[in-house]
Amino acid sequence: MKLDVYGKEVEVIRSDSRWCVYYLGAEGKKRIAQDLNIPSDLPESEVMDFLADLCHEWAGPGRVEVIRIR
């Protein structure tokens, strides 16, 4: 799933029973987000809330929520 996390685009993928998070670049490239670790037992329905809590420092004017892009 692709998310806008307080203005930063990330992709979250389930792989080998764990969550992998990638930062998305403007030119279609992505890099592993080593600083964003989602517990492997967290259900998909709770990923957005988890990232909202984890990354709340990124919030600011015009960047007030975590939304699903695709």
Side-chain angles (χ1 to χ4, degrees), residues 17-64:
S17 301
R18 64 186 184 96
W19 292 108
C20 298
V21 184
Y22 299 90
Y23 288 114
L24 301 177
E27 32 330 290
K29 296 179 183 178
K30 60 184 178 181
R31 64 182 170 88
I32 192 80
Q34 294 180 345
D35 57 333
L36 301 178
N37 296 306
I38 301 173
S40 60
D41 61 341
L42 191 73
E44 182 176 348
S45 62
E46 296 180 23
V47 168
M48 288 177 59
D49 288 336
F50 180 83
L51 287 174
D53 289 341
L54 184 67
C55 302
H56 67 272
E57 304 89 15
W58 297 355
R63 302 180 321 225
V64 296

Side-chain angles (χ1 to χ4, degrees), residues 5-24:
V5 181
Y6 302 115
K8 294 185 183 185
E9 289 189 14
V10 301
E11 183 173 21
V12 180
I13 300 171
R14 185 81 175 170
S15 176
D16 296 328
S17 301
R18 64 186 184 96
W19 292 108
C20 298
V21 184
Y22 299 90
Y23 288 114
L24 301 177

